[in-house]
Amino acid sequence: MFSVDFMINILGIISFLTIILLVITLFFKIEQMKTLQASFNKVKKQLDEMDEQAKLIMRTDLELNKTQEELDKKISGLYALQKLSRSIASTLEESQIFNMVDPARLAELGFEKACAFLWDDAQKRFLPQINIGFLAEEIEAIKNLVRAEKDKFLALIKSEKTFSSLSGLDPVLREKIKATGKVRAFVISPIMPKEGESGFLCVGTEDPDFFINEGDEELITILANQLGQTIENARLFEKTWRAQQDLEKKVEERTHELSRLLDEVKAISKRKTDFISSVSHELRTPLTSIKGYAAILLAEKLGKLPPEIRERLEKINRHSDELVHLVNDLLDIARIESGRMLMKKEPQELKELVATVEDLLGVQLKQKQIRFEADIPAEAQKILADRSQLERVFINLIGNACKFTPEKGRIGVAARKTDGSVQVDITDTGCGIPEEALGAIFEEFYRVDNAINQELKGTGLGLALVKHIVEAHGGKIWVKSSTGAGSTFSFTIPSG
Amino acid sequence: MPIQIGLGISSEKDPLLAARDAVRLARANLLTQKFSLALVFSTVDFAHPTVLKTVHGLLGETPILGCSSFGILSNQRIFRSGLAVMLLSLPQDVCLNTACVRQISAKQALVSGEELGEKLLLGFKSVRRALGVIFSDGLMRDSTGLLAGIQEKLGISFPLAGACASDNLAFKKTFLYANGEVLNDAACGMLWGGKLNYGLGIRHGWKPLGKPRTVTRASGNTAYTIDMRPAAQIYQEYLGMDLARLRKELKRISILYPVGVNFAEGEYFLRNILSIEDNGALVFQGNIPAGAAIRMMIGTKESCLNATRQAMEEAKRGLGGAHCNFVLVFDSVSRHIILGRQAGRELEILREGFGRDTPLIGIYTYGEEAPLRAINYQGKAYFHNQSIAVLGIGG
């Protein structure tokens, strides 16, 4: 069939073809591997690039986080400081101020330990005010340090600067504070009220990761200033309070004294009123008899009277009338003062009342040719008064005006409505009242020393009675006058 | 009858007064006077034996469980100083056991976890176990080991939620509360069983950034090398800073850019850095295994708040529409630092989600424990950092 050579040749050809095929396959595989290697390298490169990007992201993120932390720390610090300030400012008791420093708020500022001392000038030493977070033995050690280094602490206060474990402070003192208070970082700031003794606040932390910066120093400075301000306010308040207490005590003493004097005056006044009332009553009985007998004699019921006796009797009668008038006025004043005379306040027409008085005094006005003018507008018409008593007021005031106004003078009555009352002004063109007499004119038995008064008789009770009647109506009376310029008597009366 | 809750929180400055006040309020808010458990959380200023003795004295034989925290979240507000007492009255078909393990550092964390698991299981032989809640010392190095020990006894996929106690960011001492005692270097927990309805959600809101990396040498919570180079170099490269500056700013950087440990289905749990060793090794707050695929993580306040929203929604989904009787929140203290003045918004999200009147109590933690969502992990709980775990409990 097939020779061996032929078979060998065939196998050789097949082998050759196989080798070629393998070579071709290998070539393609190598190409594929190259492609895969290229892809792998590409992916690896991309992964490396992404890793580099990741590094960038992490570094940026770290920076961002640090900034955020700083910002958060500042915001939290300010927030805690605001709360602390509010809490501290809520008291005005100096002994309570340091107790208002809340450890939780202080921790929000990053400090878990705090102490404060105030200088006592009398004892020449620092007095501890607060201990937050220090163990008993630690605070004792701090007290000893402050005692031993008091000059350095006083110098620190005097410098008015804030120091920290970071900067500024004498290195020996800094290390002593750190070792004594067992703190890794601290801030110390003077407390300086404007008045009184100063001191210092020291805050610290054991946290090894806490790094003090200027922001922390600023926050503690603000806190120390707030403490100083509150101490100052408390001291000022204490001072003001004491002054007020003294003043109140003095006012109380004076009030007590015045009250006692007023009671005395009231008692005297009552005795006077009682006396006047009693005497007046006692006088009126014999006066009535005298007047009665004088009238009988003057009526010549007991026989004709010689002219000299009649003249004398008429004098007795006239003087008796004056005396009765005086006694009646005194009795009225006494009644009003003692509250026994009640004002029967009823609606009255002012214009009509004034017209009645004008009629009553018409003769005197006519005799002296005095012009009488009444100006009472409609809105001031209605008043609430005891008619007979108010008539007495007008009779007295217009009568006085008539008495002191020279011939052809003028008397005016004007009224106007004021708040809830009517003000009446009675003006004359008389001789006026000297300034020094104005204050006493409404007093009982006071008479202005002038020529008219010396000539014309009067009781000195008229204006006093007028004042009592006006006041019994709930009104006021006053006068404006000066010598030679006439007078204006004004009073108020409730409107109707 | 559903679970009854009485919550009392006091911010009285005097710790004894606060203890009395919180118990009085909790009792007043509870409709019944029979209670099976008291959860006590406080800020470190109240972490005092006298406080716990007072609470214990007032509550008699009622088991007390709780821990210290940087702050307390509640449906009222966030307390930066306060003591919270939550009294729970359970229906007959829900049962509960509490246990405590001490001196963890003297034993192995794993052993301690096993011990705690065993103690929790006591009395649960014939009862269906439902959920475990663990509180542990926030300064414990091997929280993962403790969790593994517990899982060893309770089951790998057994649902667990947990929180590491915190202090006032001093990282000096955290406190656990067990009955009348205040403990350190300890862990305590409660095991729920019976007819319990609950929903649990955990989120962090951080996103991966940069190339995936591999932890090439690690032990416990220390990663020595990443991509065969000293671990700290990854941070130096990304942030463009030398080791000294990195150390100086470590607290901030650790919170802003934690490491994300990549599990399947694109899920990551976070690890914060506690310290950097001289050889460039990174010490994490939680274990990190060799061979783990890791990424640098980045987030924002908004992503933080979104995570809260998602955790809350997931917890609500878990409840399957059932009424939520109370909410427990374990929120990382780091998240509180990041959110800063916006921390209140986070609480507002929770209050809006669960209803303003639903009793809510939460703590800020140094670590959280909860299951991952990924199906491959079958509900296994992991130790997380910088996350928020929301546990809603229904009837």
mmCIF file of all heavy atoms in Angstrom, chain A residues 296-328:
data_model
loop_
_atom_site.group_PDB
_atom_site.id
_atom_site.type_symbol
_atom_site.label_atom_id
_atom_site.label_comp_id
_atom_site.label_asym_id
_atom_site.label_seq_id
_atom_site.Cartn_x
_atom_site.Cartn_y
_atom_site.Cartn_z
ATOM 1 N N ILE A 296 -84.906 146.331 122.047
ATOM 2 C CA ILE A 296 -86.074 146.767 122.845
ATOM 3 C C ILE A 296 -85.929 148.246 123.198
ATOM 4 O O ILE A 296 -86.839 149.047 123.049
ATOM 5 C CB ILE A 296 -86.215 145.904 124.113
ATOM 6 C CG1 ILE A 296 -86.642 144.463 123.718
ATOM 7 C CG2 ILE A 296 -87.237 146.495 125.100
ATOM 8 C CD1 ILE A 296 -86.520 143.443 124.827
ATOM 9 N N LEU A 297 -84.715 148.581 123.659
ATOM 10 C CA LEU A 297 -84.475 149.982 124.061
ATOM 11 C C LEU A 297 -84.608 150.918 122.874
ATOM 12 O O LEU A 297 -85.229 151.985 122.955
ATOM 13 C CB LEU A 297 -83.091 150.115 124.682
ATOM 14 C CG LEU A 297 -82.931 149.473 126.087
ATOM 15 C CD1 LEU A 297 -81.466 149.465 126.502
ATOM 16 C CD2 LEU A 297 -83.772 150.238 127.130
ATOM 17 N N LEU A 298 -84.023 150.489 121.729
ATOM 18 C CA LEU A 298 -84.059 151.345 120.524
ATOM 19 C C LEU A 298 -85.490 151.497 119.994
ATOM 20 O O LEU A 298 -85.830 152.521 119.406
ATOM 21 C CB LEU A 298 -83.164 150.761 119.422
ATOM 22 C CG LEU A 298 -81.660 151.053 119.548
ATOM 23 C CD1 LEU A 298 -80.867 150.221 118.569
ATOM 24 C CD2 LEU A 298 -81.391 152.531 119.339
ATOM 25 N N ALA A 299 -86.292 150.474 120.222
ATOM 26 C CA ALA A 299 -87.700 150.563 119.790
ATOM 27 C C ALA A 299 -88.497 151.492 120.719
ATOM 28 O O ALA A 299 -89.700 151.728 120.506
ATOM 29 C CB ALA A 299 -88.315 149.166 119.767
ATOM 30 N N GLU A 300 -87.850 151.999 121.783
ATOM 31 C CA GLU A 300 -88.400 152.934 122.767
ATOM 32 C C GLU A 300 -89.660 152.361 123.429
ATOM 33 O O GLU A 300 -90.610 153.056 123.722
ATOM 34 C CB GLU A 300 -88.677 154.299 122.097
ATOM 35 C CG GLU A 300 -87.386 154.968 121.648
ATOM 36 C CD GLU A 300 -87.603 156.332 121.028
ATOM 37 O OE1 GLU A 300 -88.664 156.542 120.418
ATOM 38 O OE2 GLU A 300 -86.687 157.160 121.148
ATOM 39 N N LYS A 301 -89.628 150.977 123.562
ATOM 40 C CA LYS A 301 -90.758 150.330 124.237
ATOM 41 C C LYS A 301 -90.702 150.591 125.736
ATOM 42 O O LYS A 301 -91.686 150.456 126.447
ATOM 43 C CB LYS A 301 -90.730 148.827 123.965
ATOM 44 C CG LYS A 301 -91.192 148.488 122.560
ATOM 45 C CD LYS A 301 -91.142 146.996 122.309
ATOM 46 C CE LYS A 301 -91.539 146.727 120.880
ATOM 47 N NZ LYS A 301 -91.352 145.352 120.498
ATOM 48 N N LEU A 302 -89.552 151.008 126.224
ATOM 49 C CA LEU A 302 -89.419 151.260 127.657
ATOM 50 C C LEU A 302 -89.304 152.769 127.938
ATOM 51 O O LEU A 302 -88.826 153.199 128.988
ATOM 52 C CB LEU A 302 -88.172 150.532 128.209
ATOM 53 C CG LEU A 302 -88.180 149.007 128.072
ATOM 54 C CD1 LEU A 302 -86.844 148.423 128.513
ATOM 55 C CD2 LEU A 302 -89.277 148.403 128.906
ATOM 56 N N GLY A 303 -89.624 153.526 126.971
ATOM 57 C CA GLY A 303 -89.600 154.987 127.158
ATOM 58 C C GLY A 303 -88.727 155.692 126.139
ATOM 59 O O GLY A 303 -87.868 155.057 125.513
ATOM 60 N N LYS A 304 -89.018 156.912 125.938
ATOM 61 C CA LYS A 304 -88.295 157.704 124.935
ATOM 62 C C LYS A 304 -86.827 157.821 125.319
ATOM 63 O O LYS A 304 -86.484 157.948 126.498
ATOM 64 C CB LYS A 304 -88.934 159.089 124.863
ATOM 65 C CG LYS A 304 -88.501 159.826 123.618
ATOM 66 C CD LYS A 304 -89.717 160.292 122.839
ATOM 67 C CE LYS A 304 -89.257 161.208 121.729
ATOM 68 N NZ LYS A 304 -89.210 160.510 120.488
ATOM 69 N N LEU A 305 -85.990 157.729 124.266
ATOM 70 C CA LEU A 305 -84.561 157.752 124.554
ATOM 71 C C LEU A 305 -83.978 159.123 124.218
ATOM 72 O O LEU A 305 -84.256 159.680 123.149
ATOM 73 C CB LEU A 305 -83.829 156.710 123.688
ATOM 74 C CG LEU A 305 -84.136 155.249 123.983
ATOM 75 C CD1 LEU A 305 -83.476 154.388 122.942
ATOM 76 C CD2 LEU A 305 -83.618 154.878 125.358
ATOM 77 N N PRO A 306 -83.134 159.622 125.089
ATOM 78 C CA PRO A 306 -82.440 160.851 124.725
ATOM 79 C C PRO A 306 -81.479 160.552 123.564
ATOM 80 O O PRO A 306 -80.997 159.411 123.440
ATOM 81 C CB PRO A 306 -81.654 161.207 125.988
ATOM 82 C CG PRO A 306 -82.096 160.265 127.034
ATOM 83 C CD PRO A 306 -82.821 159.158 126.420
ATOM 84 N N PRO A 307 -81.208 161.528 122.701
ATOM 85 C CA PRO A 307 -80.384 161.280 121.509
ATOM 86 C C PRO A 307 -79.009 160.691 121.845
ATOM 87 O O PRO A 307 -78.506 159.834 121.135
ATOM 88 C CB PRO A 307 -80.244 162.660 120.867
ATOM 89 C CG PRO A 307 -81.261 163.535 121.496
ATOM 90 C CD PRO A 307 -81.705 162.961 122.781
ATOM 91 N N GLU A 308 -78.401 161.135 122.980
ATOM 92 C CA GLU A 308 -77.034 160.616 123.285
ATOM 93 C C GLU A 308 -77.096 159.097 123.568
ATOM 94 O O GLU A 308 -76.219 158.344 123.150
ATOM 95 C CB GLU A 308 -76.458 161.319 124.547
ATOM 96 C CG GLU A 308 -76.414 162.823 124.498
ATOM 97 C CD GLU A 308 -77.739 163.448 124.908
ATOM 98 O OE1 GLU A 308 -78.297 163.097 125.953
ATOM 99 O OE2 GLU A 308 -78.265 164.258 124.106
ATOM 100 N N ILE A 309 -78.228 158.715 124.293
ATOM 101 C CA ILE A 309 -78.357 157.295 124.631
ATOM 102 C C ILE A 309 -78.652 156.488 123.367
ATOM 103 O O ILE A 309 -78.086 155.417 123.138
ATOM 104 C CB ILE A 309 -79.465 157.080 125.683
ATOM 105 C CG1 ILE A 309 -79.019 157.737 126.987
ATOM 106 C CG2 ILE A 309 -79.757 155.588 125.904
ATOM 107 C CD1 ILE A 309 -80.061 157.776 128.080
ATOM 108 N N ARG A 310 -79.557 157.044 122.494
ATOM 109 C CA ARG A 310 -79.876 156.354 121.232
ATOM 110 C C ARG A 310 -78.607 156.123 120.409
ATOM 111 O O ARG A 310 -78.375 155.029 119.896
ATOM 112 C CB ARG A 310 -80.884 157.203 120.441
ATOM 113 C CG ARG A 310 -81.124 156.726 119.012
ATOM 114 C CD ARG A 310 -82.256 157.425 118.371
ATOM 115 N NE ARG A 310 -83.541 156.912 118.811
ATOM 116 C CZ ARG A 310 -84.112 155.821 118.343
ATOM 117 N NH1 ARG A 310 -83.525 155.115 117.388
ATOM 118 N NH2 ARG A 310 -85.280 155.419 118.783
ATOM 119 N N GLU A 311 -77.819 157.200 120.347
ATOM 120 C CA GLU A 311 -76.571 157.078 119.556
ATOM 121 C C GLU A 311 -75.685 155.938 120.094
ATOM 122 O O GLU A 311 -75.182 155.116 119.351
ATOM 123 C CB GLU A 311 -75.829 158.418 119.618
ATOM 124 C CG GLU A 311 -74.651 158.489 118.659
ATOM 125 C CD GLU A 311 -73.797 159.734 118.916
ATOM 126 O OE1 GLU A 311 -74.344 160.753 119.434
ATOM 127 O OE2 GLU A 311 -72.598 159.680 118.617
ATOM 128 N N ARG A 312 -75.609 155.912 121.469
ATOM 129 C CA ARG A 312 -74.763 154.871 122.070
ATOM 130 C C ARG A 312 -75.374 153.482 121.845
ATOM 131 O O ARG A 312 -74.681 152.517 121.555
ATOM 132 C CB ARG A 312 -74.599 155.082 123.597
ATOM 133 C CG ARG A 312 -74.041 156.438 124.033
ATOM 134 C CD ARG A 312 -72.622 156.678 123.536
ATOM 135 N NE ARG A 312 -71.993 157.830 124.104
ATOM 136 C CZ ARG A 312 -72.156 159.096 123.735
ATOM 137 N NH1 ARG A 312 -72.991 159.390 122.751
ATOM 138 N NH2 ARG A 312 -71.491 160.082 124.317
ATOM 139 N N LEU A 313 -76.712 153.440 121.975
ATOM 140 C CA LEU A 313 -77.379 152.141 121.800
ATOM 141 C C LEU A 313 -77.222 151.620 120.357
ATOM 142 O O LEU A 313 -77.022 150.434 120.122
ATOM 143 C CB LEU A 313 -78.886 152.264 122.131
ATOM 144 C CG LEU A 313 -79.252 152.083 123.594
ATOM 145 C CD1 LEU A 313 -80.715 152.388 123.812
ATOM 146 C CD2 LEU A 313 -78.964 150.660 124.061
ATOM 147 N N GLU A 314 -77.333 152.571 119.405
ATOM 148 C CA GLU A 314 -77.156 152.157 117.988
ATOM 149 C C GLU A 314 -75.749 151.582 117.762
ATOM 150 O O GLU A 314 -75.564 150.628 117.024
ATOM 151 C CB GLU A 314 -77.416 153.350 117.061
ATOM 152 C CG GLU A 314 -78.893 153.538 116.783
ATOM 153 C CD GLU A 314 -79.214 154.815 116.036
ATOM 154 O OE1 GLU A 314 -78.305 155.665 115.861
ATOM 155 O OE2 GLU A 314 -80.385 154.972 115.657
ATOM 156 N N LYS A 315 -74.782 152.204 118.456
ATOM 157 C CA LYS A 315 -73.396 151.677 118.348
ATOM 158 C C LYS A 315 -73.316 150.245 118.906
ATOM 159 O O LYS A 315 -72.707 149.358 118.332
ATOM 160 C CB LYS A 315 -72.445 152.589 119.122
ATOM 161 C CG LYS A 315 -71.907 153.727 118.268
ATOM 162 C CD LYS A 315 -70.771 154.429 118.991
ATOM 163 C CE LYS A 315 -70.229 155.557 118.099
ATOM 164 N NZ LYS A 315 -69.219 156.340 118.771
ATOM 165 N N ILE A 316 -74.019 150.100 120.105
ATOM 166 C CA ILE A 316 -74.037 148.755 120.735
ATOM 167 C C ILE A 316 -74.655 147.754 119.746
ATOM 168 O O ILE A 316 -74.110 146.657 119.510
ATOM 169 C CB ILE A 316 -74.825 148.775 122.062
ATOM 170 C CG1 ILE A 316 -74.037 149.533 123.125
ATOM 171 C CG2 ILE A 316 -75.151 147.352 122.543
ATOM 172 C CD1 ILE A 316 -74.818 149.805 124.415
ATOM 173 N N ASN A 317 -75.771 148.167 119.142
ATOM 174 C CA ASN A 317 -76.477 147.286 118.194
ATOM 175 C C ASN A 317 -75.584 146.924 116.994
ATOM 176 O O ASN A 317 -75.476 145.759 116.603
ATOM 177 C CB ASN A 317 -77.753 147.991 117.741
ATOM 178 C CG ASN A 317 -78.727 146.995 117.109
ATOM 179 O OD1 ASN A 317 -78.738 145.826 117.498
ATOM 180 N ND2 ASN A 317 -79.516 147.439 116.144
ATOM 181 N N ARG A 318 -74.911 147.971 116.433
ATOM 182 C CA ARG A 318 -74.069 147.739 115.244
ATOM 183 C C ARG A 318 -72.891 146.821 115.576
ATOM 184 O O ARG A 318 -72.582 145.873 114.874
ATOM 185 C CB ARG A 318 -73.572 149.089 114.734
ATOM 186 C CG ARG A 318 -73.107 149.034 113.289
ATOM 187 C CD ARG A 318 -72.870 150.384 112.672
ATOM 188 N NE ARG A 318 -71.916 151.179 113.376
ATOM 189 C CZ ARG A 318 -72.188 152.306 114.069
ATOM 190 N NH1 ARG A 318 -73.438 152.738 114.136
ATOM 191 N NH2 ARG A 318 -71.254 152.986 114.697
ATOM 192 N N HIS A 319 -72.269 147.116 116.708
ATOM 193 C CA HIS A 319 -71.109 146.296 117.103
ATOM 194 C C HIS A 319 -71.529 144.873 117.432
ATOM 195 O O HIS A 319 -70.803 143.921 117.159
ATOM 196 C CB HIS A 319 -70.383 146.941 118.284
ATOM 197 C CG HIS A 319 -69.579 148.144 117.868
ATOM 198 N ND1 HIS A 319 -68.542 148.081 116.991
ATOM 199 C CD2 HIS A 319 -69.701 149.467 118.206
ATOM 200 C CE1 HIS A 319 -68.034 149.274 116.782
ATOM 201 N NE2 HIS A 319 -68.745 150.173 117.513
ATOM 202 N N SER A 320 -72.739 144.777 117.997
ATOM 203 C CA SER A 320 -73.252 143.434 118.298
ATOM 204 C C SER A 320 -73.458 142.657 117.004
ATOM 205 O O SER A 320 -73.124 141.461 116.916
ATOM 206 C CB SER A 320 -74.588 143.519 119.048
ATOM 207 O OG SER A 320 -74.394 144.120 120.291
ATOM 208 N N ASP A 321 -73.982 143.354 115.955
ATOM 209 C CA ASP A 321 -74.175 142.704 114.644
ATOM 210 C C ASP A 321 -72.834 142.207 114.082
ATOM 211 O O ASP A 321 -72.722 141.085 113.575
ATOM 212 C CB ASP A 321 -74.803 143.701 113.648
ATOM 213 C CG ASP A 321 -76.307 143.824 113.855
ATOM 214 O OD1 ASP A 321 -76.870 142.938 114.549
ATOM 215 O OD2 ASP A 321 -76.896 144.782 113.346
ATOM 216 N N GLU A 322 -71.849 143.095 114.207
ATOM 217 C CA GLU A 322 -70.505 142.713 113.694
ATOM 218 C C GLU A 322 -69.986 141.494 114.458
ATOM 219 O O GLU A 322 -69.416 140.569 113.879
ATOM 220 C CB GLU A 322 -69.542 143.889 113.853
ATOM 221 C CG GLU A 322 -69.731 144.960 112.780
ATOM 222 C CD GLU A 322 -68.972 146.232 113.108
ATOM 223 O OE1 GLU A 322 -68.220 146.236 114.113
ATOM 224 O OE2 GLU A 322 -69.137 147.220 112.368
ATOM 225 N N LEU A 323 -70.235 141.539 115.786
ATOM 226 C CA LEU A 323 -69.766 140.431 116.619
ATOM 227 C C LEU A 323 -70.504 139.127 116.270
ATOM 228 O O LEU A 323 -69.891 138.053 116.192
ATOM 229 C CB LEU A 323 -69.995 140.783 118.100
ATOM 230 C CG LEU A 323 -69.035 140.147 119.091
ATOM 231 C CD1 LEU A 323 -67.590 140.410 118.716
ATOM 232 C CD2 LEU A 323 -69.294 140.671 120.493
ATOM 233 N N VAL A 324 -71.807 139.230 116.004
ATOM 234 C CA VAL A 324 -72.594 138.049 115.615
ATOM 235 C C VAL A 324 -72.056 137.499 114.287
ATOM 236 O O VAL A 324 -71.854 136.290 114.116
ATOM 237 C CB VAL A 324 -74.095 138.420 115.476
ATOM 238 C CG1 VAL A 324 -74.871 137.290 114.772
ATOM 239 C CG2 VAL A 324 -74.707 138.673 116.834
ATOM 240 N N HIS A 325 -71.753 138.447 113.370
ATOM 241 C CA HIS A 325 -71.211 138.054 112.069
ATOM 242 C C HIS A 325 -69.895 137.303 112.221
ATOM 243 O O HIS A 325 -69.656 136.235 111.628
ATOM 244 C CB HIS A 325 -71.041 139.333 111.222
ATOM 245 C CG HIS A 325 -70.708 139.041 109.810
ATOM 246 N ND1 HIS A 325 -69.711 139.690 109.135
ATOM 247 C CD2 HIS A 325 -71.226 138.163 108.936
ATOM 248 C CE1 HIS A 325 -69.628 139.223 107.922
ATOM 249 N NE2 HIS A 325 -70.563 138.289 107.769
ATOM 250 N N LEU A 326 -69.057 137.880 113.108
ATOM 251 C CA LEU A 326 -67.740 137.270 113.369
ATOM 252 C C LEU A 326 -67.902 135.878 113.979
ATOM 253 O O LEU A 326 -67.270 134.907 113.545
ATOM 254 C CB LEU A 326 -66.962 138.186 114.314
ATOM 255 C CG LEU A 326 -65.611 137.660 114.773
ATOM 256 C CD1 LEU A 326 -64.521 138.115 113.820
ATOM 257 C CD2 LEU A 326 -65.287 138.120 116.174
ATOM 258 N N VAL A 327 -68.796 135.815 114.949
ATOM 259 C CA VAL A 327 -69.013 134.520 115.627
ATOM 260 C C VAL A 327 -69.564 133.492 114.640
ATOM 261 O O VAL A 327 -69.133 132.333 114.618
ATOM 262 C CB VAL A 327 -69.969 134.714 116.833
ATOM 263 C CG1 VAL A 327 -70.458 133.367 117.361
ATOM 264 C CG2 VAL A 327 -69.260 135.462 117.946
ATOM 265 N N ASN A 328 -70.502 133.936 113.766
ATOM 266 C CA ASN A 328 -71.053 133.011 112.772
ATOM 267 C C ASN A 328 -69.979 132.499 111.816
ATOM 268 O O ASN A 328 -69.940 131.310 111.497
ATOM 269 C CB ASN A 328 -72.173 133.688 111.985
ATOM 270 C CG ASN A 328 -73.454 133.763 112.800
ATOM 271 O OD1 ASN A 328 -73.611 133.027 113.779
ATOM 272 N ND2 ASN A 328 -74.355 134.643 112.438
#
